Amino acid sequence: MTIKKPSSATIQQAASILATGGVVAFPTETVYGLGANAKNDASVVKIFETKTRPQTNPLIIHVADLSLAKQFAKFPTSAAALAQHFWPGPLTLVLERVENSGLSEKIYAGNTTVAIRIPAHPLALSLLQNFSGPVAAPSANRSGHVSPTTADHVANDLGDQVDMILDGGPTTKGIESTIVQVFDDHVELLRPGSITSAEIATALDKEGVLIDVRTNNKTTSRPNAPGQLESHYAPRATVRLNADAVAPGEALLAFGSIPKAHTAAAAHIINLSPTGNIEEAASLLFAALRELDAKGTPNIAVMPIPKSGVGLAINDRLARAAVPR
Ligand code: TXA
Ligand code: MG
């Protein structure tokens, strides 16, 4: 079995798999990543092949510390302030790349920018420190499927195609990192996550950086994160959002207290948070979608989930899951 419990021996083994060109799935605080040596073309190609990911979709690189990050990306004052404030943590910065930094060209997929983060998970950090180089890691799911938040999710999607899966238990945040691109005069949110644009604005303000925070929606001329295709995060079932009633036989993805009529009609119910805790809901969302799919549910009704805090990211992922295919 490729799933390994973490220990100093298995972490070292994982680092040497990376060093010899293999792929390792590892937990971060957001979701599990599928990691490979970001300087090695052949290893990076393995990531794309394992996930069946189009090579036009660039990869995030993960590093253990800021000094290593600076070898690969340029940090204007605003980016340095965000790194200072949020790293290690669930924030990915899209920055102008440093030329001839040694990263595989495949990482960029033709962009002049590079996406980079320092994850906050102790296992991820320990792996990055042991390997001591940049690790390219997209979410460790089959392309187009929901991101994995447990080692079993990774095994179900990618199985024996990965050389090792480090099992750190369920991830705490449960939703992929917030992605922001830093421009000269403003910061642009490309993907909502557990760090909100309001928190980013507050942090910049605290660090004395006067710069706008904007949200990229597809009506602007700038490209969104290429991987944010609408049909991502797709379970097999059809997903119906903001349901105020449940049709007989529908599965119910609930939030907060469940009306009696819903309970009577639903074929299955998973409550993301009976107490209405939005962080708890985020941490359980992807596992719930996978579980309902595993039951063979054809239709999922989703109760309204508040669009505040990480609720924005939950609604973003659910809207993508609900796009007709
Ligand atoms: O939480 C996370 O970010 C996880 C963990 C493993 O770190 N990783 C993750 O990677 O979600 P991935 O590849 O599944 O999503 C990264 C997104 C993709 O939509 C990709 O297109 C975008 O980031 N991206 C990567 N490089 C970019 C760049 N230079 N400019 C704009 N978007 C970029
Ligand atoms: Mg992904």
Side-chain angles (χ1 to χ4, degrees), residues 26-34 51 53 56-62 90-95 107-109 111-117 119 137-141 147 175-179 181 190-191 223-229 232-233 317:
F26 61 96
T28 77
E29 75 279 39
T30 59
V31 300
Y32 276 69
L34 181 64
K51 282 184 57 104
R53 176 176 174 121
T56 48
N57 191 355
L59 301 178
I60 300 176
I61 64 165
H62 298 65
L91 180 71
T92 296
L93 297 174
V94 173
L95 303 170
I107 300 288
Y108 309 118
N111 292 285
T112 56
T113 52
V114 63
I116 190 162
R117 83 177 184 105
S139 52
N141 51 285
S147 292
I175 281 212
E176 306 85 352
S177 61
T178 302
I179 304 181
Q181 181 158 3
L190 301 185
R191 179 173 73 181
N224 209 333
Q228 293 289 89
L229 302 171
H232 264 58
Y233 309 100
R317 303 308 190 272

Side-chain angles (χ1 to χ4, degrees), residues 63 65-75 80 87 98 116:
V63 293
D65 57 62
L66 188 57
S67 64
L68 190 56
K70 286 181 172 165
Q71 289 183 21
F72 308 112
K74 295 182 186 167
F75 283 74
W87 283 356
V98 169
I116 190 162

